[in-house]
Amino acid sequence: MTYSKYKVYIFALLSMLFWGFSFVWVKIVFEHGYRPITTIFLRLILSSIILYVVIKLMKRSQKIKRSDYKQFLLLALFQPFFYFLGESYGLSMVSSTVASVIIATIPVFTPIFAYMFIREKISYVNIIGLFISFIGILMMVLNQNFSFDASPKGIALLFFAVASAIAYAVVIKKLTFKYSAFTIIKTQNIIGAIYFLPLFLIFDYKQFVTVKPDFELIAAMVQLAVFASSAAYLLFIPVVRQLGINKANMFTNFIPVFTAVISFILLSESFSLNKVAGILIVIAGTSLSQIYKIINRII
């Protein structure tokens, strides 16, 4: 199905809003006692059930070709498995805003991966944008003594999530022309839950049964499943299909803006001048290549 350009942009912004909220919802879940693997496993199970019911009600079931299962296994390995491991453990070590800003560097790194794996040319503007983005990140994670104000391990895990998200976008591009968004997300979440099941049983199950969930914890988990693990992906897949990987990933620039505002309101996260300046610089760096392309077209 083809959508108008305005609808595609609305889909993209809504998916970024839901992912912006997800950093806050995950923090709430962590504060109530659930560990990263438990959180990921439960949101994938809930999302899979929701999508299965929706597909049945809408009568949009699709049979996956046997030859495509390798693609789906690879897709689910990159995201949700690798991506959520990096994001969730990284988020347990740094603030919601810092995490979202690092995730927002996805469009800067995408051309580099494209050059490495499919020899797509990389422009000097992309290199400048990458350099500017790193300056912004350093401003956010270093204190005045130039020592880390955020966990180096957490930052490394978040960059691992960034690499996983880019690999995911490359793999999913081919599948979007064969299957509906509902089929892709339901399948990747089911496979992802299977990947996480052994980790959950080995590392988290004993701790999981000791937590007594209250309303706030249940609400955060449901919102993660419905909006971040289901609706956001369903909205984002048509964006990737119609705009391509690079243009679709450009919208991740909005994630730290949404997360910063939501974190300030719901989590009372403090904002130093360095942090605000860092956010603005990262957004400028990630936007540079896109602005450059638009100017070139006008000229």
Side-chain angles (χ1 to χ4, degrees):
M1 185 183 294
T2 302
Y3 299 95
S4 69
K5 189 172 286 187
Y6 296 108
K7 278 190 177 180
V8 170
Y9 289 161
I10 291 169
F11 289 170
L13 288 173
L14 282 174
S15 62
M16 297 309 135
L17 176 63
F18 295 152
W19 281 325
F21 262 109
S22 73
F23 290 94
V24 176
W25 291 328
V26 168
K27 277 289 186 184
I28 291 170
V29 171
F30 289 169
E31 287 170 3
H32 283 71
Y34 280 169
R35 292 174 179 173
I37 289 174
T38 299
T39 304
I40 301 163
F41 180 67
L42 292 180
R43 69 188 279 190
L44 290 175
I45 292 292
L46 288 171
S47 176
S48 299
I49 293 169
I50 291 164
L51 289 171
Y52 178 80
V53 172
V54 171
I55 289 169
K56 285 294 182 183
L57 291 174
M58 294 177 67
K59 297 181 180 179
R60 295 189 64 175
S61 296
Q62 278 182 296
K63 189 175 181 180
I64 297 170
K65 292 181 181 178
R66 200 167 183 175
S67 59
D68 288 331
Y69 268 107
K70 286 183 181 179
Q71 290 283 90
F72 276 102
L73 289 169
L74 186 62
L75 185 75
L77 185 66
F78 287 129
Q79 194 163 320
F81 191 70
F82 285 157
Y83 177 84
F84 280 150
L85 281 176
E87 184 192 78
S88 295
Y89 276 102
L91 190 53
S92 69
M93 300 175 194
V94 305
S95 72
S96 301
T97 305
V98 170
S100 67
V101 169
I102 292 173
I103 295 300
T105 61
I106 288 171
V108 179
F109 286 98
T110 300
I112 296 172
F113 274 68
Y115 173 76
M116 289 171 61
F117 293 105
I118 58 176
R119 292 299 170 190
E120 188 176 293
K121 288 184 179 179
I122 182 171
S123 70
Y124 70 89
V125 177
N126 288 122
I127 296 170
I128 294 170
L130 178 61
F131 180 72
I132 292 171
S133 294
F134 266 122
I135 291 173
I137 290 170
L138 288 174
M139 288 183 68
M140 293 187 68
V141 301
L142 295 178
N143 58 31
Q144 293 178 343
N145 299 320
F146 294 99
S147 58
F148 276 99
D149 195 28
S151 163
K153 188 177 179 182
I155 294 165
L157 285 165
L158 287 162
F159 275 117
F160 175 71
V162 168
S164 301
I166 296 167
Y168 168 85
V170 173
V171 177
I172 202 173
K173 176 71 174 177
K174 296 176 182 177
L175 293 172
T176 59
F177 294 102
K178 294 183 178 181
Y179 303 100
S180 71
F182 287 96
T183 300
I184 293 171
I185 304 308
K186 183 201 73 172
T187 306
Q188 78 173 40
N189 284 354
I190 290 172
I191 296 171
I194 293 169
Y195 285 158
F196 276 107
L197 180 59
L199 298 180
F200 171 71
L201 293 175
I202 295 167
F203 298 109
D204 278 15
Y205 180 74
K206 288 182 179 178
Q207 190 271 342
F208 163 71
V209 295
T210 65
V211 177
K212 293 181 180 179
D214 58 14
F215 176 78
E216 192 175 19
L217 173 56
I218 293 169
M221 281 302 313
V222 171
Q223 288 172 118
L224 275 170
V226 173
F227 296 106
S229 290
S230 301
Y233 285 103
L234 292 173
L235 290 167
F236 193 61
I237 284 177
V239 180
V240 173
R241 184 172 59 242
Q242 288 189 221
L243 298 184
I245 297 167
N246 287 331
K247 287 183 181 178
N249 280 341
M250 177 192 73
F251 287 92
T252 57
N253 297 347
F254 290 96
I255 292 177
V257 179
F258 291 138
T259 303
V261 174
I262 298 161
S263 298
F264 179 75
I265 295 170
L266 298 182
L267 300 180
S268 301
E269 275 193 11
S270 59
F271 280 89
S272 63
L273 186 60
N274 268 16
K275 188 177 279 189
V276 173
I279 291 171
L280 294 175
I281 289 171
V282 171
I283 292 171
T286 54
S287 301
L288 181 62
S289 61
Q290 301 303 323
I291 294 169
Y292 178 79
K293 288 175 186 175
I294 292 168
I295 291 172
N296 267 357
R297 284 172 189 168
I298 294 171
I299 294 172

